[in-house]
């Protein structure tokens, strides 16, 4: 048996493992989301941010499994879709809180206008990596860049 067959078998095995692991993880995420404090509670954003970070990790694992599955990833693709929907729903809900982070608000504005992170980066003149990092919870230490992101959020939300 050649290396291609071994790689394909490894990819299928990885996809199967991820699909099996994602289902119980999603059940735990659903419970954690259900157990969040009320959306207007002061601690809501902090608690939701922890879940969002963990959902991002699970999404990365699922995406990696899809890339390595060699066509046998239907269950992983479905699970990845569910992970991404949970993430979107919670991120949009969190972005409505008065204490939402700059990245949460940017993600929501970008999502509402159906733009990619790369498109937001291009129109704001910021690096793609910064847009992704901010949406993933990184702080913006540069006041001028933070102001550009704030202005972009206002511009994107002005039509909605």
């Amino acid at each position: 048996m050649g290396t291609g067959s071994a790689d394909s078998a490894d990819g299928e095995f990885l996809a199967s493992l991820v699909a099996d692991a994602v289902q119980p993880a999603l059940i735990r995420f659903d419970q954690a989301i259900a157990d969040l404090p009320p959306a207007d509670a002061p601690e809501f954003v902090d608690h939701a941010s922890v879940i969002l970070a963990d959902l991002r990790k699970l999404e990365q694992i699922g995406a990696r499994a899809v890339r390595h599955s060699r066509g046998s990833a239907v269950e992983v693709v479905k699970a990845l879709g569910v992970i991404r929907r949970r993430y979107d729903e919670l991120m949009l809900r969190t972005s409505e809180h008065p204490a939402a982070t700059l990245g949460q608000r940017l993600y929501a504005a970008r999502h509402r206008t159906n733009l990619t992170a790369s498109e937001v980066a291009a129109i704001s003149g910021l690096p793609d990596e910064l847009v992704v990092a901010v949406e993933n919870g990184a702080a913006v230490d540069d006041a001028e860049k933070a102001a550009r992101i704030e202005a972009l959020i206002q511009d994107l939300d002005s039509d909605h």
Side-chain angles (χ1 to χ4, degrees):
M1 178 153 44
T3 339
S5 296
D7 287 347
S8 179
D10 288 347
E12 289 175 27
F13 179 70
L14 175 63
S16 174
L17 274 178
V18 170
D20 290 346
V22 164
Q23 295 309 319
L26 283 170
I27 292 168
R28 286 191 295 281
F29 277 113
D30 287 345
Q31 187 59 55
I33 291 168
D35 291 343
L36 280 169
D40 58 351
E43 66 276 12
F44 176 79
V45 171
D46 289 337
H47 290 268
S49 294
V50 171
I51 296 170
L52 288 164
D54 288 343
L55 279 168
R56 277 192 298 276
K57 290 175 191 171
L58 187 61
E59 189 271 341
Q60 290 169 352
I61 292 166
R64 198 171 319 132
V66 168
R67 285 192 300 275
H68 296 289
S69 67
R70 307 280 191 259
S72 63
V74 173
E75 292 306 313
V76 177
V77 169
K78 288 179 183 178
L80 191 54
V82 174
I83 294 165
R84 288 177 176 163
R85 276 190 300 281
R86 294 295 187 289
Y87 184 84
D88 287 345
E89 291 164 1
L90 184 56
M91 187 67 115
L92 293 172
R93 190 170 144 203
T94 304
S95 74
E96 298 297 323
H97 194 280
T101 67
L102 181 64
Q104 290 162 343
R105 293 184 296 112
L106 176 60
Y107 181 93
R110 180 174 68 76
H111 189 272
R112 284 190 289 271
T113 54
N114 206 22
L115 296 173
T116 67
S118 292
E119 291 163 343
V120 164
I123 62 175
S124 65
L126 297 169
D128 287 15
E129 300 80 23
L130 178 63
V131 171
V132 171
V134 169
E135 287 185 357
N136 288 341
V140 181
D141 296 331
D142 183 319
E144 186 265 330
K145 289 178 181 174
R148 285 180 21 207
I149 293 171
E150 287 285 0
L152 178 62
I153 293 169
Q154 296 303 314
D155 288 344
L156 294 175
D157 282 344
S158 67
D159 294 333
H160 292 88

